[in-house]
Amino acid sequence: MSVKPLARELRASLAFIERNFNLTKRYWKWEVVFFLYTIANSITMGFIGKGVEAFSGTPVDTNYLILYMLIGSILWGYLSILFEIVAETVAWERWEETIEYTFMAPVRRSTHLLSTCGYAILYGLLRSVVILGIVSFFFDLNLAGANFISAVGILFVASFSFIGLGVVAAILPLISPEKGVQVVHIFQALLLMFSGVYYEIDVLPVWMQNVAKLSPATYALRGMRASILEGQNFSSQWSNIWPLILMGAVLLPAGLKIFSIMEKWAKRKGVLKRSG
Amino acid sequence: MAIAIHAKNIVKKFKKNKKIVTALKGIDIDIYEGEIYGLLGPNGSGKSTFIRIASTLLFPDEGEIEIFDHDVRKHPKYVQEIMNRVSVEASFFRKLSAYENLFYSAGIHGISKKEAFNKIESLIDKVGLDRKRLKDPLEDFSRGMQQKVAIARAFMTDPKILLLDEPTTGLDPRAKKDVQKLILDLRARTKATILLTTHDMNEAEKLCDRVSIIHNGRIMITGHPQELKRKLVNKISNPTFEDVFIEFTGLSFEDAEYGKSSKEVVSA
Ligand SMILES: Nc1ncnc2c1ncn2[C@@H]1O[C@H](COP(=O)(O)OP(=O)(O)OP(=O)(O)O)[C@@H](O)[C@H]1O
Ligand SMILES: [Mg+2]
């Protein structure tokens, strides 16, 4: 690409990010509601961890359990935000009725989608850090042995595959104006069930464990827990890292490619916008 | 004169609940550069469908469409760079301000912030926008004001081709006049080619160099407004342009089908 088209794509990219920021700002009441929901959820999970000792009657490592649950909850919160922003980008524009204007702009679809993902990552990270800060007030957490650098590394590697999943999910509202968003939510619930957000996947039946191996969230969660609970280095976690890299390398380009194929399909069928 | 929009035998069918609606049944249109071309027809006759096809948002089932000799389907980016559109719905992020909406639109068209700001400044007075309200959310704007922002959004990119789908529907007489003046100004200033649809026959007669009357997905007749009126002098004394519309959308060889498809299908 020569300089001029590149500059245009960059401006477009910034425009998408700024638009999303403005939307978040203007719909702040929704954001607050969702934020409080996530916090309450995380705290609940933390207390479930704390309560285990009382159920079982045997002494357990409560600090470990609380952190175990909190990592699940906060990472899931991050994943949900990322997933939702990306997956609903089409649904949102359909609802605002701006979709035709966005789709007739001279900008690459990859610029459009990846900029939205970039915003989602920034927003999701910021939100997770704030949640972690608030939640830590409620529990006496011992993070002395945690390896945060390793945790950030895992999160970074995992984000590519999460974005890939988000782009794949964004296709559904593109091809089905009525049911697409609901299907995305079902997809999200399945991801929660299979990926070991609040339990080790070994507790699942074997067939479910096999499905879990296909979810990037499984490796991300495992990697985060290994880093924070056991203080493992990034470099010692190759078994979690390579599946994430592989899935990112497959899901992201495949997601973009399928999106553009389905965009053409939508333009043939006239489902980009129904009324008018 | 160069041909700006060349459409040949455009057919477009939609499948809705197992029913097939043929929105366009073989449309041929040639629009010259710098022309204001009207596409007139009853509700559901296929005007917006044609505009969507020209603007890369919809692919035709048959036929070809070229913008300055570039196939719309093969070179969407070329077309998108030189085109913009105003549609009957305002289509904005309703909670975002006029500025935020305009900057977004400028950005995705590759225009820098500074340039966009200058463009907006120069358009505010021309379009008749109230500078003080540009920071308010679009949802607080009246329909006429929203439409003016939509026009500013389209003009901002200096389009060589402008598609105007009922830009004045729902505007008060003054706002309507303002918009009409803007359209004429733009053409005079930039030699932009404009495709306009409207249900206001006076507006069509006033603005358009040529019009096509489309009915049930077919072009019934094409010509200069005056020329079309002259065709009726033997039938009606002093025909108005409205008479032309009524005449050419009434005398359908598929009158029977018209009653069904255009009423039922539009509400479906
Ligand atoms: N995306 C779509 N999916 C299904 N049917 C469609 C779609 N777009 C248009 N149609 C149908 O095609 C026909 C032509 O519609 P179109 O919107 O082009 O009419 P129009 O001339 O613009 O009408 P109006 O004056 O009411 O705006 C209608 O029967 C409409 O229901
Ligand atoms: Mg229409």
Side-chain angles (χ1 to χ4, degrees):
Chain A
M1 230 190 281
S2 70
V3 178
K4 208 171 155 226
L6 187 66
R8 293 173 62 105
E9 296 293 323
L10 273 175
R11 283 177 194 141
S13 177
L14 282 177
F16 283 116
I17 292 174
E18 196 176 327
R19 174 204 69 180
N20 275 36
F21 174 75
N22 287 331
L23 286 173
T24 305
K25 204 172 70 186
R26 299 279 179 155
Y27 286 93
W28 65 272
K29 285 179 190 158
W30 289 14
E31 300 297 328
V32 168
V33 169
F34 194 43
F35 185 72
L36 291 177
Y37 172 86
T38 315
I39 289 195
N41 211 35
S42 292
I43 293 173
T44 307
M45 290 304 154
F47 281 122
I48 290 179
K50 198 170 177 182
V52 167
E53 193 164 37
F55 290 142
S56 62
T58 46
V60 291
D61 185 348
T62 304
N63 184 56
Y64 184 93
L65 272 177
I66 293 174
L67 270 175
Y68 186 94
M69 297 302 274
L70 286 181
I71 291 168
S73 153
I74 289 171
L75 191 71
W76 180 248
Y78 170 71
L79 195 74
S80 301
I81 271 287
L82 204 92
F83 205 67
E84 232 142 83
I85 293 180
V86 182
E88 290 188 0
T89 177
V90 169
W92 184 289
E93 289 222 50
R94 218 193 268 284
W95 175 74
E96 293 264 23
E97 299 187 334
T98 49
I99 186 159
E100 291 196 323
Y101 286 85
T102 297
F103 276 67
M104 69 178 280
V107 51
R108 287 160 183 258
R109 196 59 58 227
S110 51
T111 304
H112 172 193
L113 294 172
L114 294 180
S115 311
T116 307
C117 295
Y119 175 77
I121 290 186
L122 287 178
Y123 182 63
L125 280 180
L126 190 71
R127 197 169 169 275
S128 301
V129 168
V130 177
I131 290 173
L132 185 65
I134 293 176
V135 167
S136 61
F137 273 116
F138 288 80
F139 303 99
D140 192 15
L141 299 177
N142 177 7
L143 288 167
N147 188 336
F148 285 109
I149 295 178
S150 167
V152 170
I154 295 280
L155 202 60
F156 177 77
V157 178
S159 293
F160 291 95
S161 46
F162 292 164
I163 293 169
L165 276 184
V167 173
V168 173
I171 296 164
L172 297 167
L174 180 71
I175 58 182
S176 169
E178 283 106 11
K179 288 170 232 102
V181 177
Q182 282 92 318
V183 178
V184 170
H185 285 140
I186 294 172
F187 190 51
Q188 216 174 346
L190 290 176
L191 205 58
L192 174 67
M193 180 172 81
F194 281 107
S195 308
V197 175
Y198 298 117
Y199 37 76
E200 289 299 303
I201 60 166
D202 338 1
V203 305
L204 299 172
V206 176
W207 71 269
M208 286 179 81
Q209 291 187 34
N210 288 332
V211 178
K213 286 184 189 134
L214 300 174
S215 161
T218 304
Y219 305 95
L221 283 153
R222 222 189 255 161
M224 291 295 276
R225 287 189 173 125
S227 311
I228 292 177
L229 295 173
E230 287 150 31
Q232 282 193 28
N233 285 328
F234 186 73
S235 51
S236 65
Q237 295 194 49
W238 184 238
S239 64
N240 293 326
I241 294 165
W242 76 259
L244 288 173
I245 292 177
L246 181 71
M247 285 188 207
V250 173
L251 281 171
L252 192 50
L256 291 173
K257 184 76 202 162
I258 302 171
F259 193 98
S260 91
I261 292 171
M262 292 326 286
E263 181 179 336
K264 292 200 177 96
W265 179 87
K267 287 177 173 178
R268 268 203 310 277
K269 295 283 166 192
V271 293
L272 216 50
K273 176 150 189 281
R274 301 220 70 153
S275 61
Chain B
M1 239 186 308
I3 291 182
I5 303 179
H6 165 75
K8 183 120 194 78
N9 190 33
I10 298 288
V11 175
K12 185 69 210 170
K13 298 185 172 105
F14 293 109
K15 214 162 136 189
K16 234 184 198 171
N17 311 325
K18 305 215 162 78
K19 227 170 53 186
I20 291 180
V21 176
T22 309
L24 299 175
K25 299 175 179 162
I27 297 286
D28 299 321
I29 287 180
D30 280 305
I31 303 177
Y32 296 107
E33 187 173 8
E35 201 172 23
I36 299 184
Y37 194 99
L39 191 58
L40 313 176
N43 295 126
S45 54
K47 304 179 297 292
S48 300
T49 302
F50 183 78
I51 287 195
R52 290 204 170 90
I53 288 174
S55 60
T56 74
L57 292 167
L58 201 60
F59 294 149
D61 299 328
E62 282 171 47
E64 57 181 60
I65 178 157
E66 290 173 355
I67 307 276
F68 290 114
D69 297 325
H70 290 69
D71 187 281
V72 170
R73 210 169 150 167
K74 288 194 197 116
H75 305 282
K77 218 160 166 210
Y78 168 84
V79 173
Q80 288 161 349
E81 273 169 18
I82 61 166
M83 175 178 281
N84 218 322
R85 166 177 173 225
V86 176
S87 50
V88 63
E89 330 75 41
S91 311
F92 286 107
F93 293 96
R94 52 199 102 178
K95 289 235 188 287
L96 301 194
S97 71
Y99 268 131
E100 286 164 345
N101 271 293
L102 289 171
F103 278 127
Y104 165 65
S105 186
I108 61 175
H109 278 88
I111 297 173
S112 73
K113 265 266 160 70
K114 196 166 147 236
E115 200 183 335
F117 187 79
N118 292 337
K119 283 263 160 61
I120 295 169
E121 276 302 304
S122 76
L123 280 167
I124 286 174
D125 293 325
K126 274 194 211 120
V127 183
L129 278 168
D130 183 355
R131 196 177 303 262
K132 287 194 295 276
R133 298 217 39 200
L134 292 182
K135 289 191 174 146
D136 295 350
L138 247 287
E139 64 182 357
D140 296 347
F141 283 33
S142 71
R143 159 131 178 82
M145 284 164 61
Q146 290 188 4
Q147 205 60 349
K148 285 178 180 175
V149 182
I151 287 166
R153 169 172 66 186
F155 283 21
M156 197 169 55
T157 63
D158 291 324
K160 280 175 78 178
I161 308 247
L162 187 58
L163 307 174
L164 302 172
D165 196 353
E166 301 184 37
T168 61
T169 297
L171 299 190
D172 68 57
R174 184 185 304 276
K176 199 172 212 176
K177 263 214 158 86
D178 288 347
V179 170
Q180 291 169 351
K181 189 165 170 298
L182 274 167
I183 295 170
L184 290 171
D185 279 357
L186 178 83
R187 198 261 301 266
R189 219 162 20 89
T190 67
K191 305 237 163 41
T193 308
I194 297 171
L195 174 59
L196 171 80
T197 82
T198 176
H199 290 296
D200 178 339
M201 292 307 124
N202 290 328
E203 173 172 291
E205 190 178 3
K206 192 163 120 191
L207 297 182
C208 299
D209 303 313
R210 282 191 304 151
V211 303
S212 279
I213 293 184
I214 181 174
H215 179 33
N216 238 348
R218 282 206 174 90
I219 302 272
M220 307 302 289
I221 190 139
T222 297
H224 297 266
Q226 298 309 320
E227 182 192 327
L228 298 187
K229 281 206 289 198
R230 275 199 299 275
K231 285 190 195 290
L232 296 191
V233 286
N234 295 334
K235 275 190 162 181
I236 307 168
S237 64
N238 265 333
T240 63
F241 200 56
E242 215 164 271
D243 294 326
V244 172
F245 181 85
I246 306 263
E247 175 71 16
F248 287 102
T249 55
L251 113 190
S252 165
F253 37 83
E254 353 159 84
D255 238 340
E257 196 191 334
Y258 168 55
K260 262 186 283 153
S261 57
S262 77
K263 290 287 176 303
E264 274 174 25
V265 168
V266 167
S267 59

